[in-house]
């Protein structure tokens, strides 16, 4: 793994990135962990359909996604769910109303750098009187897809493909 060319501390090239996680400089001894990033995704079902978003940016542009995103520092996963659904869709759902479903590891390649994530998948109910307002930098449209008409290969991320497959079996 060589996406850093130099040590950020001493600029040595005598460096190694071990197991996608542990950066080490063999000259100055700097060690830096790029730990697994926590992320969330939310499955919302209504009338036999599941709410998908269509990604408006890389990675996986134009493919189906679930609403969600990366956890901020000092945030619970349920708070991430609430914040991301507000930002992406203008949905108001309290953190207490997200129900844990399962976790799934994922690879997230952003601008040439591979990140390892752990995606925590939750379910939630659609509130009454929703007024969708899409965050267009991230989402081009939403699609309600009947459960029997979901094509898993149209879902961009492996983790969410597996989570949706498990959800449909549950
Ligand atoms: Zn160094």
């Amino acid at each position: 793994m060589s996406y850093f060319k130099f040590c950020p501390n001493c600029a040595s090239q005598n460096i190694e990135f071990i197991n996608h996680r542990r950066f080490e400089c063999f000259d100055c001894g700097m060690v830096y962990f790029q730990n697994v990033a926590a992320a969330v995704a939310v499955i919302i079902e209504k009338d036999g359909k599941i709410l998908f978003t269509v990604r408006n940016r890389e990675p996986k542009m134009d493919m189906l996604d679930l609403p969600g995103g990366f956890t901020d520092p000092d945030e619970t996963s349920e708070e991430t769910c609430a914040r991301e659904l507000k930002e992406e869709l203008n949905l108001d759902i309290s953190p207490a109303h997200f129900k844990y479903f399962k976790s799934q590891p994922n690879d997230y390649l952003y601008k040439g750098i591979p990140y390892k994530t752990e995606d925590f998948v939750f379910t939630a109910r659609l509130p009454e009187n929703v007024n969708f307002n899409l965050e267009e930098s991230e989402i081009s449209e939403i699609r309600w897809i009947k459960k029997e008409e979901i094509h898993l290969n149209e879902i961009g991320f492996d983790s969410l493909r597996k989570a949706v497959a498990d959800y449909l079996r549950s």
Side-chain angles (χ1 to χ4, degrees), residues 20 34-41 55 59-60 64-66 69-70 102-110 113-121 155-163:
H20 289 268
Q34 181 178 285
N35 286 316
V36 173
V40 305
R55 294 183 61 82
K60 310 292 182 186
L64 294 180
D65 201 358
L66 293 171
F70 285 101
K102 71 172 306 189
S103 65
Q104 201 73 55
N106 197 33
D107 288 300
Y108 191 94
L109 184 68
Y110 187 70
I113 297 179
Y115 295 90
K116 292 285 184 184
T117 76
E118 185 78 352
D119 296 348
F120 298 101
V121 182
I155 299 172
F157 294 113
D158 290 346
S159 57
L160 302 187
R161 205 175 300 141
K162 287 176 188 153

mmCIF file of all heavy atoms in Angstrom, residues 20 34-41 55 59-60 64-66 69-70 102-110 113-121 155-163:
data_model
loop_
_atom_site.group_PDB
_atom_site.id
_atom_site.type_symbol
_atom_site.label_atom_id
_atom_site.label_comp_id
_atom_site.label_asym_id
_atom_site.label_seq_id
_atom_site.Cartn_x
_atom_site.Cartn_y
_atom_site.Cartn_z
ATOM 1 N N HIS A 20 -3.335 -2.141 5.365
ATOM 2 C CA HIS A 20 -4.310 -1.057 5.124
ATOM 3 C C HIS A 20 -4.568 -0.231 6.375
ATOM 4 O O HIS A 20 -5.565 0.475 6.455
ATOM 5 C CB HIS A 20 -5.671 -1.605 4.655
ATOM 6 C CG HIS A 20 -5.661 -2.143 3.276
ATOM 7 N ND1 HIS A 20 -5.965 -1.382 2.176
ATOM 8 C CD2 HIS A 20 -5.384 -3.372 2.813
ATOM 9 C CE1 HIS A 20 -5.884 -2.130 1.093
ATOM 10 N NE2 HIS A 20 -5.533 -3.341 1.445
ATOM 11 N N GLN A 34 -4.586 4.243 10.500
ATOM 12 C CA GLN A 34 -5.800 4.623 9.777
ATOM 13 C C GLN A 34 -6.850 3.573 10.108
ATOM 14 O O GLN A 34 -6.969 2.541 9.459
ATOM 15 C CB GLN A 34 -5.556 4.679 8.267
ATOM 16 C CG GLN A 34 -6.819 5.094 7.530
ATOM 17 C CD GLN A 34 -6.627 5.223 6.049
ATOM 18 O OE1 GLN A 34 -6.033 6.180 5.598
ATOM 19 N NE2 GLN A 34 -7.125 4.277 5.310
ATOM 20 N N ASN A 35 -7.602 3.847 11.192
ATOM 21 C CA ASN A 35 -8.527 2.841 11.681
ATOM 22 C C ASN A 35 -9.758 2.737 10.796
ATOM 23 O O ASN A 35 -10.045 3.619 9.991
ATOM 24 C CB ASN A 35 -8.930 3.178 13.111
ATOM 25 C CG ASN A 35 -7.800 2.887 14.077
ATOM 26 O OD1 ASN A 35 -7.162 1.842 13.986
ATOM 27 N ND2 ASN A 35 -7.524 3.817 14.977
ATOM 28 N N VAL A 36 -10.491 1.661 11.002
ATOM 29 C CA VAL A 36 -11.741 1.448 10.266
ATOM 30 C C VAL A 36 -12.698 2.587 10.610
ATOM 31 O O VAL A 36 -12.861 2.946 11.776
ATOM 32 C CB VAL A 36 -12.345 0.082 10.670
ATOM 33 C CG1 VAL A 36 -13.720 -0.100 10.053
ATOM 34 C CG2 VAL A 36 -11.402 -1.045 10.277
ATOM 35 N N ALA A 37 -13.315 3.157 9.596
ATOM 36 C CA ALA A 37 -14.245 4.270 9.803
ATOM 37 C C ALA A 37 -15.659 3.733 9.992
ATOM 38 O O ALA A 37 -16.093 2.833 9.267
ATOM 39 C CB ALA A 37 -14.202 5.211 8.605
ATOM 40 N N ALA A 38 -16.353 4.284 10.969
ATOM 41 C CA ALA A 38 -17.748 3.901 11.194
ATOM 42 C C ALA A 38 -18.653 4.686 10.249
ATOM 43 O O ALA A 38 -18.439 5.869 9.999
ATOM 44 C CB ALA A 38 -18.143 4.186 12.644
ATOM 45 N N ALA A 39 -19.630 3.992 9.713
ATOM 46 C CA ALA A 39 -20.612 4.630 8.841
ATOM 47 C C ALA A 39 -21.972 3.993 9.115
ATOM 48 O O ALA A 39 -22.055 2.921 9.716
ATOM 49 C CB ALA A 39 -20.219 4.457 7.380
ATOM 50 N N VAL A 40 -23.024 4.652 8.680
ATOM 51 C CA VAL A 40 -24.376 4.103 8.863
ATOM 52 C C VAL A 40 -25.114 4.107 7.539
ATOM 53 O O VAL A 40 -24.793 4.881 6.616
ATOM 54 C CB VAL A 40 -25.204 4.898 9.902
ATOM 55 C CG1 VAL A 40 -24.468 4.977 11.240
ATOM 56 C CG2 VAL A 40 -25.554 6.283 9.388
ATOM 57 N N ALA A 41 -26.112 3.243 7.457
ATOM 58 C CA ALA A 41 -27.061 3.255 6.343
ATOM 59 C C ALA A 41 -28.418 2.904 6.922
ATOM 60 O O ALA A 41 -28.511 2.182 7.919
ATOM 61 C CB ALA A 41 -26.648 2.248 5.281
ATOM 62 N N ARG A 55 -26.797 7.831 -6.189
ATOM 63 C CA ARG A 55 -25.597 8.601 -5.861
ATOM 64 C C ARG A 55 -25.281 9.616 -6.949
ATOM 65 O O ARG A 55 -25.320 9.305 -8.137
ATOM 66 C CB ARG A 55 -24.399 7.667 -5.665
ATOM 67 C CG ARG A 55 -24.539 6.760 -4.469
ATOM 68 C CD ARG A 55 -23.298 5.912 -4.277
ATOM 69 N NE ARG A 55 -22.120 6.730 -4.036
ATOM 70 C CZ ARG A 55 -21.785 7.247 -2.858
ATOM 71 N NH1 ARG A 55 -22.562 7.053 -1.803
ATOM 72 N NH2 ARG A 55 -20.691 7.955 -2.723
ATOM 73 N N PRO A 59 -17.502 7.757 -4.922
ATOM 74 C CA PRO A 59 -17.544 6.518 -5.706
ATOM 75 C C PRO A 59 -18.963 6.033 -5.968
ATOM 76 O O PRO A 59 -19.884 6.492 -5.307
ATOM 77 C CB PRO A 59 -16.800 5.521 -4.792
ATOM 78 C CG PRO A 59 -16.995 6.052 -3.408
ATOM 79 C CD PRO A 59 -17.082 7.541 -3.520
ATOM 80 N N LYS A 60 -19.085 5.146 -6.946
ATOM 81 C CA LYS A 60 -20.364 4.483 -7.268
ATOM 82 C C LYS A 60 -21.430 5.469 -7.735
ATOM 83 O O LYS A 60 -22.616 5.322 -7.420
ATOM 84 C CB LYS A 60 -20.877 3.674 -6.063
ATOM 85 C CG LYS A 60 -19.861 2.743 -5.447
ATOM 86 C CD LYS A 60 -19.484 1.596 -6.319
ATOM 87 C CE LYS A 60 -18.496 0.671 -5.605
ATOM 88 N NZ LYS A 60 -17.989 -0.390 -6.491
ATOM 89 N N LEU A 64 -27.473 2.790 -7.012
ATOM 90 C CA LEU A 64 -28.368 2.896 -5.862
ATOM 91 C C LEU A 64 -27.579 2.866 -4.564
ATOM 92 O O LEU A 64 -26.557 2.184 -4.445
ATOM 93 C CB LEU A 64 -29.364 1.731 -5.849
ATOM 94 C CG LEU A 64 -30.381 1.658 -6.985
ATOM 95 C CD1 LEU A 64 -31.272 0.428 -6.784
ATOM 96 C CD2 LEU A 64 -31.221 2.920 -7.077
ATOM 97 N N ASP A 65 -28.101 3.567 -3.593
ATOM 98 C CA ASP A 65 -27.488 3.665 -2.269
ATOM 99 C C ASP A 65 -28.612 3.700 -1.241
ATOM 100 O O ASP A 65 -29.789 3.888 -1.597
ATOM 101 C CB ASP A 65 -26.646 4.950 -2.208
ATOM 102 C CG ASP A 65 -25.586 4.917 -1.117
ATOM 103 O OD1 ASP A 65 -25.502 3.925 -0.373
ATOM 104 O OD2 ASP A 65 -24.846 5.916 -1.027
ATOM 105 N N LEU A 66 -28.245 3.526 0.007
ATOM 106 C CA LEU A 66 -29.182 3.793 1.089
ATOM 107 C C LEU A 66 -28.790 5.116 1.714
ATOM 108 O O LEU A 66 -27.605 5.478 1.728
ATOM 109 C CB LEU A 66 -29.109 2.687 2.148
ATOM 110 C CG LEU A 66 -29.601 1.293 1.731
ATOM 111 C CD1 LEU A 66 -29.266 0.275 2.814
ATOM 112 C CD2 LEU A 66 -31.098 1.308 1.447
ATOM 113 N N GLY A 69 -24.230 7.759 5.975
ATOM 114 C CA GLY A 69 -22.930 8.384 5.761
ATOM 115 C C GLY A 69 -21.987 8.092 6.903
ATOM 116 O O GLY A 69 -22.277 7.255 7.770
ATOM 117 N N PHE A 70 -20.884 8.807 6.915
ATOM 118 C CA PHE A 70 -19.835 8.559 7.908
ATOM 119 C C PHE A 70 -20.173 9.201 9.251
ATOM 120 O O PHE A 70 -20.727 10.302 9.302
ATOM 121 C CB PHE A 70 -18.502 9.108 7.409
ATOM 122 C CG PHE A 70 -17.878 8.263 6.334
ATOM 123 C CD1 PHE A 70 -17.976 8.627 4.999
ATOM 124 C CD2 PHE A 70 -17.213 7.090 6.659
ATOM 125 C CE1 PHE A 70 -17.420 7.841 4.002
ATOM 126 C CE2 PHE A 70 -16.651 6.296 5.674
ATOM 127 C CZ PHE A 70 -16.751 6.674 4.336
ATOM 128 N N LYS A 102 -27.966 -4.692 11.335
ATOM 129 C CA LYS A 102 -26.740 -5.493 11.247
ATOM 130 C C LYS A 102 -25.583 -4.605 10.822
ATOM 131 O O LYS A 102 -25.782 -3.463 10.400
ATOM 132 C CB LYS A 102 -26.916 -6.640 10.260
ATOM 133 C CG LYS A 102 -26.971 -6.196 8.817
ATOM 134 C CD LYS A 102 -26.945 -7.393 7.874
ATOM 135 C CE LYS A 102 -25.761 -8.267 8.174
ATOM 136 N NZ LYS A 102 -25.546 -9.325 7.194
ATOM 137 N N SER A 103 -24.369 -5.170 10.913
ATOM 138 C CA SER A 103 -23.195 -4.448 10.431
ATOM 139 C C SER A 103 -22.570 -5.218 9.284
ATOM 140 O O SER A 103 -22.780 -6.429 9.140
ATOM 141 C CB SER A 103 -22.180 -4.255 11.554
ATOM 142 O OG SER A 103 -21.669 -5.496 11.973
ATOM 143 N N GLN A 104 -21.809 -4.493 8.487
ATOM 144 C CA GLN A 104 -21.193 -5.104 7.313
ATOM 145 C C GLN A 104 -19.944 -4.292 6.977
ATOM 146 O O GLN A 104 -20.005 -3.067 6.859
ATOM 147 C CB GLN A 104 -22.212 -5.015 6.159
ATOM 148 C CG GLN A 104 -22.019 -5.974 5.042
ATOM 149 C CD GLN A 104 -22.407 -7.394 5.409
ATOM 150 O OE1 GLN A 104 -23.511 -7.667 5.839
ATOM 151 N NE2 GLN A 104 -21.465 -8.284 5.259
ATOM 152 N N PRO A 105 -18.795 -4.952 6.809
ATOM 153 C CA PRO A 105 -17.588 -4.200 6.418
ATOM 154 C C PRO A 105 -17.656 -3.775 4.958
ATOM 155 O O PRO A 105 -18.326 -4.414 4.143
ATOM 156 C CB PRO A 105 -16.461 -5.206 6.641
ATOM 157 C CG PRO A 105 -17.110 -6.540 6.549
ATOM 158 C CD PRO A 105 -18.535 -6.384 6.990
ATOM 159 N N ASN A 106 -16.942 -2.692 4.647
ATOM 160 C CA ASN A 106 -16.989 -2.190 3.278
ATOM 161 C C ASN A 106 -15.645 -1.573 2.880
ATOM 162 O O ASN A 106 -14.844 -1.187 3.736
ATOM 163 C CB ASN A 106 -18.087 -1.126 3.147
ATOM 164 C CG ASN A 106 -18.464 -0.870 1.703
ATOM 165 O OD1 ASN A 106 -18.432 -1.753 0.863
ATOM 166 N ND2 ASN A 106 -18.806 0.375 1.398
ATOM 167 N N ASP A 107 -15.436 -1.503 1.575
ATOM 168 C CA ASP A 107 -14.294 -0.780 1.002
ATOM 169 C C ASP A 107 -14.824 0.477 0.338
ATOM 170 O O ASP A 107 -15.777 0.422 -0.438
ATOM 171 C CB ASP A 107 -13.593 -1.638 -0.059
ATOM 172 C CG ASP A 107 -12.825 -2.781 0.564
ATOM 173 O OD1 ASP A 107 -11.924 -2.518 1.360
ATOM 174 O OD2 ASP A 107 -13.159 -3.945 0.254
ATOM 175 N N TYR A 108 -14.192 1.589 0.650
ATOM 176 C CA TYR A 108 -14.663 2.877 0.132
ATOM 177 C C TYR A 108 -13.466 3.583 -0.477
ATOM 178 O O TYR A 108 -12.567 4.049 0.221
ATOM 179 C CB TYR A 108 -15.257 3.680 1.291
ATOM 180 C CG TYR A 108 -16.015 4.922 0.895
ATOM 181 C CD1 TYR A 108 -17.399 4.875 0.716
ATOM 182 C CD2 TYR A 108 -15.366 6.140 0.723
ATOM 183 C CE1 TYR A 108 -18.107 6.007 0.378
ATOM 184 C CE2 TYR A 108 -16.072 7.278 0.377
ATOM 185 C CZ TYR A 108 -17.446 7.211 0.211
ATOM 186 O OH TYR A 108 -18.144 8.340 -0.124
ATOM 187 N N LEU A 109 -13.457 3.617 -1.805
ATOM 188 C CA LEU A 109 -12.322 4.217 -2.512
ATOM 189 C C LEU A 109 -12.663 5.670 -2.836
ATOM 190 O O LEU A 109 -13.594 5.943 -3.592
ATOM 191 C CB LEU A 109 -12.049 3.437 -3.807
ATOM 192 C CG LEU A 109 -10.835 3.906 -4.604
ATOM 193 C CD1 LEU A 109 -9.536 3.617 -3.865
ATOM 194 C CD2 LEU A 109 -10.813 3.231 -5.983
ATOM 195 N N TYR A 110 -11.930 6.606 -2.237
ATOM 196 C CA TYR A 110 -12.231 8.023 -2.460
ATOM 197 C C TYR A 110 -10.977 8.743 -2.910
ATOM 198 O O TYR A 110 -9.981 8.795 -2.187
ATOM 199 C CB TYR A 110 -12.794 8.640 -1.174
ATOM 200 C CG TYR A 110 -13.287 10.052 -1.364
ATOM 201 C CD1 TYR A 110 -14.438 10.300 -2.122
ATOM 202 C CD2 TYR A 110 -12.616 11.122 -0.811
ATOM 203 C CE1 TYR A 110 -14.901 11.577 -2.309
ATOM 204 C CE2 TYR A 110 -13.067 12.421 -0.984
ATOM 205 C CZ TYR A 110 -14.210 12.649 -1.738
ATOM 206 O OH TYR A 110 -14.662 13.928 -1.917
ATOM 207 N N ILE A 113 -7.728 6.833 -2.618
ATOM 208 C CA ILE A 113 -7.318 6.294 -1.319
ATOM 209 C C ILE A 113 -8.365 5.294 -0.841
ATOM 210 O O ILE A 113 -9.545 5.618 -0.723
ATOM 211 C CB ILE A 113 -7.136 7.424 -0.277
ATOM 212 C CG1 ILE A 113 -6.018 8.359 -0.735
ATOM 213 C CG2 ILE A 113 -6.826 6.825 1.095
ATOM 214 C CD1 ILE A 113 -5.768 9.508 0.209
ATOM 215 N N PRO A 114 -7.930 4.063 -0.576
ATOM 216 C CA PRO A 114 -8.891 3.064 -0.104
ATOM 217 C C PRO A 114 -9.119 3.184 1.400
ATOM 218 O O PRO A 114 -8.169 3.183 2.182
ATOM 219 C CB PRO A 114 -8.207 1.730 -0.452
ATOM 220 C CG PRO A 114 -6.748 2.032 -0.485
ATOM 221 C CD PRO A 114 -6.582 3.490 -0.785
ATOM 222 N N TYR A 115 -10.382 3.320 1.784
ATOM 223 C CA TYR A 115 -10.748 3.342 3.198
ATOM 224 C C TYR A 115 -11.500 2.072 3.535
ATOM 225 O O TYR A 115 -12.303 1.586 2.739
ATOM 226 C CB TYR A 115 -11.641 4.549 3.507
ATOM 227 C CG TYR A 115 -10.958 5.876 3.318
ATOM 228 C CD1 TYR A 115 -10.997 6.525 2.094
ATOM 229 C CD2 TYR A 115 -10.263 6.469 4.368
ATOM 230 C CE1 TYR A 115 -10.359 7.734 1.899
ATOM 231 C CE2 TYR A 115 -9.626 7.686 4.189
ATOM 232 C CZ TYR A 115 -9.674 8.318 2.957
ATOM 233 O OH TYR A 115 -9.043 9.508 2.779
ATOM 234 N N LYS A 116 -11.250 1.551 4.712
ATOM 235 C CA LYS A 116 -12.024 0.442 5.245
ATOM 236 C C LYS A 116 -13.079 1.018 6.172
ATOM 237 O O LYS A 116 -12.763 1.817 7.066
ATOM 238 C CB LYS A 116 -11.115 -0.510 6.031
ATOM 239 C CG LYS A 116 -10.114 -1.261 5.163
ATOM 240 C CD LYS A 116 -10.807 -2.372 4.391
ATOM 241 C CE LYS A 116 -9.827 -3.205 3.594
ATOM 242 N NZ LYS A 116 -10.517 -4.229 2.770
ATOM 243 N N THR A 117 -14.322 0.624 5.951
ATOM 244 C CA THR A 117 -15.393 1.115 6.809
ATOM 245 C C THR A 117 -16.119 -0.058 7.458
ATOM 246 O O THR A 117 -16.029 -1.193 7.008
ATOM 247 C CB THR A 117 -16.441 1.949 6.036
ATOM 248 O OG1 THR A 117 -17.281 1.069 5.278
ATOM 249 C CG2 THR A 117 -15.770 2.953 5.119
ATOM 250 N N GLU A 118 -16.840 0.263 8.523
ATOM 251 C CA GLU A 118 -17.807 -0.678 9.079
ATOM 252 C C GLU A 118 -19.159 0.027 8.977
ATOM 253 O O GLU A 118 -19.372 1.068 9.600
ATOM 254 C CB GLU A 118 -17.464 -1.000 10.539
ATOM 255 C CG GLU A 118 -18.346 -2.061 11.146
ATOM 256 C CD GLU A 118 -17.970 -3.489 10.717
ATOM 257 O OE1 GLU A 118 -17.109 -3.642 9.830
ATOM 258 O OE2 GLU A 118 -18.548 -4.423 11.261
ATOM 259 N N ASP A 119 -20.019 -0.524 8.152
ATOM 260 C CA ASP A 119 -21.332 0.091 7.936
ATOM 261 C C ASP A 119 -22.345 -0.521 8.902
ATOM 262 O O ASP A 119 -22.572 -1.729 8.886
ATOM 263 C CB ASP A 119 -21.798 -0.145 6.501
ATOM 264 C CG ASP A 119 -20.896 0.535 5.475
ATOM 265 O OD1 ASP A 119 -20.055 1.363 5.883
ATOM 266 O OD2 ASP A 119 -21.053 0.244 4.278
ATOM 267 N N PHE A 120 -22.918 0.320 9.743
ATOM 268 C CA PHE A 120 -23.964 -0.130 10.660
ATOM 269 C C PHE A 120 -25.311 0.190 10.018
ATOM 270 O O PHE A 120 -25.601 1.357 9.726
ATOM 271 C CB PHE A 120 -23.835 0.567 12.016
ATOM 272 C CG PHE A 120 -22.541 0.256 12.710
ATOM 273 C CD1 PHE A 120 -21.485 1.145 12.692
ATOM 274 C CD2 PHE A 120 -22.373 -0.964 13.367
ATOM 275 C CE1 PHE A 120 -20.286 0.851 13.321
ATOM 276 C CE2 PHE A 120 -21.168 -1.263 13.995
ATOM 277 C CZ PHE A 120 -20.131 -0.358 13.971
ATOM 278 N N VAL A 121 -26.080 -0.852 9.802
ATOM 279 C CA VAL A 121 -27.340 -0.685 9.074
ATOM 280 C C VAL A 121 -28.497 -0.665 10.075
ATOM 281 O O VAL A 121 -28.577 -1.535 10.955
ATOM 282 C CB VAL A 121 -27.524 -1.808 8.032
ATOM 283 C CG1 VAL A 121 -28.811 -1.594 7.247
ATOM 284 C CG2 VAL A 121 -26.320 -1.853 7.093
ATOM 285 N N ILE A 155 -27.141 -1.862 -6.640
ATOM 286 C CA ILE A 155 -26.708 -1.206 -5.402
ATOM 287 C C ILE A 155 -25.186 -1.065 -5.444
ATOM 288 O O ILE A 155 -24.472 -2.048 -5.674
ATOM 289 C CB ILE A 155 -27.160 -2.017 -4.173
ATOM 290 C CG1 ILE A 155 -28.704 -2.096 -4.156
ATOM 291 C CG2 ILE A 155 -26.621 -1.403 -2.892
ATOM 292 C CD1 ILE A 155 -29.247 -3.029 -3.089
ATOM 293 N N GLY A 156 -24.687 0.138 -5.215
ATOM 294 C CA GLY A 156 -23.280 0.413 -5.456
ATOM 295 C C GLY A 156 -22.301 -0.325 -4.557
ATOM 296 O O GLY A 156 -21.291 -0.843 -5.019
ATOM 297 N N PHE A 157 -22.593 -0.368 -3.271
ATOM 298 C CA PHE A 157 -21.611 -0.899 -2.318
ATOM 299 C C PHE A 157 -21.935 -2.337 -1.929
ATOM 300 O O PHE A 157 -23.086 -2.684 -1.634
ATOM 301 C CB PHE A 157 -21.562 -0.030 -1.056
ATOM 302 C CG PHE A 157 -21.050 1.346 -1.316
ATOM 303 C CD1 PHE A 157 -21.872 2.451 -1.196
ATOM 304 C CD2 PHE A 157 -19.725 1.540 -1.704
ATOM 305 C CE1 PHE A 157 -21.386 3.724 -1.449
ATOM 306 C CE2 PHE A 157 -19.240 2.808 -1.954
ATOM 307 C CZ PHE A 157 -20.075 3.904 -1.835
ATOM 308 N N ASP A 158 -20.893 -3.179 -1.899
ATOM 309 C CA ASP A 158 -21.058 -4.588 -1.515
ATOM 310 C C ASP A 158 -21.747 -4.719 -0.162
ATOM 311 O O ASP A 158 -22.594 -5.586 0.032
ATOM 312 C CB ASP A 158 -19.685 -5.275 -1.408
ATOM 313 C CG ASP A 158 -19.029 -5.447 -2.766
ATOM 314 O OD1 ASP A 158 -19.728 -5.286 -3.781
ATOM 315 O OD2 ASP A 158 -17.827 -5.746 -2.801
ATOM 316 N N SER A 159 -21.327 -3.875 0.788
ATOM 317 C CA SER A 159 -21.870 -3.993 2.138
ATOM 318 C C SER A 159 -23.388 -3.809 2.124
ATOM 319 O O SER A 159 -24.121 -4.549 2.783
ATOM 320 C CB SER A 159 -21.235 -2.934 3.048
ATOM 321 O OG SER A 159 -21.448 -1.637 2.508
ATOM 322 N N LEU A 160 -23.853 -2.830 1.368
ATOM 323 C CA LEU A 160 -25.287 -2.532 1.389
ATOM 324 C C LEU A 160 -26.058 -3.535 0.542
ATOM 325 O O LEU A 160 -27.219 -3.843 0.829
ATOM 326 C CB LEU A 160 -25.535 -1.092 0.934
ATOM 327 C CG LEU A 160 -24.793 -0.051 1.788
ATOM 328 C CD1 LEU A 160 -25.208 1.355 1.393
ATOM 329 C CD2 LEU A 160 -25.030 -0.279 3.278
ATOM 330 N N ARG A 161 -25.395 -4.063 -0.494
ATOM 331 C CA ARG A 161 -26.022 -5.140 -1.269
ATOM 332 C C ARG A 161 -26.312 -6.333 -0.356
ATOM 333 O O ARG A 161 -27.399 -6.904 -0.366
ATOM 334 C CB ARG A 161 -25.060 -5.536 -2.395
ATOM 335 C CG ARG A 161 -25.711 -6.169 -3.593
ATOM 336 C CD ARG A 161 -24.671 -6.392 -4.684
ATOM 337 N NE ARG A 161 -24.036 -5.163 -5.121
ATOM 338 C CZ ARG A 161 -22.739 -5.042 -5.432
ATOM 339 N NH1 ARG A 161 -21.928 -6.089 -5.350
ATOM 340 N NH2 ARG A 161 -22.258 -3.883 -5.827
ATOM 341 N N LYS A 162 -25.314 -6.679 0.480
ATOM 342 C CA LYS A 162 -25.498 -7.808 1.396
ATOM 343 C C LYS A 162 -26.556 -7.494 2.444
ATOM 344 O O LYS A 162 -27.373 -8.347 2.794
ATOM 345 C CB LYS A 162 -24.177 -8.147 2.091
ATOM 346 C CG LYS A 162 -23.190 -8.829 1.158
ATOM 347 C CD LYS A 162 -21.857 -9.070 1.866
ATOM 348 C CE LYS A 162 -20.808 -9.575 0.880
ATOM 349 N NZ LYS A 162 -19.449 -9.229 1.282
ATOM 350 N N ALA A 163 -26.533 -6.274 2.964
ATOM 351 C CA ALA A 163 -27.490 -5.905 4.005
ATOM 352 C C ALA A 163 -28.914 -5.916 3.461
ATOM 353 O O ALA A 163 -29.838 -6.402 4.127
ATOM 354 C CB ALA A 163 -27.146 -4.526 4.568
#
